[in-house]
Every structure is written in C-alpha cells, then in structure tokens.
Amino acid sequence: MMATLEQRNHARSYLKKAEEYLASAEANLQAGRYTVAAGDAIHAGICAKDAIVTELTGTTTKGKAHAQAAKELRQALGQRPDAASTEQALRDLISSKADVEYGVTLIPAVKAEALLRRARSLVELAIRIVRLNG
C-alpha cells in the first residue's frame, strides 16, 4: 500500500523528530550526560519506527504498548534483509525505556553508547526509506 502525500509528510515529520533526538543524544553523550543520551536515543528509535511504518503502510499506532511497536515495524519491513536486526534494535531500545526514564540507577556510558548505536541504525534506515525512497 502506498502512502498518500499527507501520510508521507507525516513520515517526514517523524523522521525530522528522530534526527533531532539522535543529534541531542550524540551531544548529551559527548557531554557525559549518559542517562539523558540514552533517553534521547530511545525517543529517536521510536520516532524512526513511526517514520518507517508511516512511509511503508500509511499509518502507525501510537500508544503505551511499546512491545507492539517492534512487531508493527517488523510487519511493515516485510521481507527486507534488515527487518530482523531492525526489529531487534527497536526491542533493545524499548526494553531499556523503563530503567532509563523511571528507574533510580544512572545509565553508564557503555550502555548509552550501545543504545545510541541502535538508534543510529534505525534513523539511518528511516532516512533511506523516507527520504531516499529505498
């Protein structure tokens, strides 16, 4: 199913948000704000998912059921060779959400860096799909 112009505009908006969160994550990582960097990385990944799914299917579900988000992403990506690794990257980000945002422990640099790598891979794929139509 091809997305309408309006839906494609929505996908581009999600992508812009994803890129902004990713840039913020990178800056926070450089500044040693690892917990905030991790939070930004998670948001970047979720926005990238919204961009990809909206571009490929015309809509994306928003809600508290974040586990559903990874399944939705996998379905939208279908037979793409990167579908499984992309789904896993989003699962890793989402599974850290509670610890990062509501937990009492601070996130160490190594964990923030790992989450950022996953977010980066999701945003790069969203750029290819939404902006480069790949």
Side-chain angles (χ1 to χ4, degrees):
M1 125 110 206
M2 284 298 295
T4 65
L5 182 61
E6 183 184 24
Q7 290 163 336
R8 298 204 58 213
N9 285 335
H10 291 172
R12 281 195 285 273
S13 294
Y14 287 130
L15 177 57
K16 182 92 174 83
K17 284 166 85 171
E19 289 174 313
E20 288 179 5
Y21 275 123
L22 185 62
S24 181
E26 305 273 10
N28 280 314
L29 187 71
Q30 292 303 312
R33 295 185 293 263
Y34 304 123
T35 301
V36 183
D40 286 340
I42 291 165
H43 289 294
I46 292 169
C47 289
K49 181 277 294 186
D50 289 337
I52 291 166
V53 174
T54 301
E55 180 72 19
L56 295 177
T57 72
T59 184
T60 185
T61 52
K62 306 294 283 176
K64 295 282 173 258
H66 285 296
Q68 200 55 43
K71 258 192 220 125
E72 183 188 32
L73 178 62
R74 180 66 184 266
Q75 284 174 332
L77 289 171
Q79 298 305 308
R80 290 179 71 103
D82 45 9
S85 60
T86 302
E87 178 192 18
Q88 190 55 55
L90 185 62
R91 281 189 191 283
D92 292 347
L93 288 166
I94 289 168
S95 69
S96 301
K97 193 174 184 338
D99 273 353
V100 169
E101 296 189 355
Y102 315 115
V104 69
T105 52
L106 295 170
I107 304 299
V110 64
K111 173 82 171 163
E113 286 163 359
L115 292 173
L116 219 83
R117 275 195 303 278
R118 289 173 181 68
R120 211 176 285 123
S121 72
L122 279 154
V123 173
E124 285 167 2
L125 180 60
I127 289 168
R128 289 201 302 276
I129 289 173
V130 175
R131 200 167 286 144
L132 308 176
N133 297 311

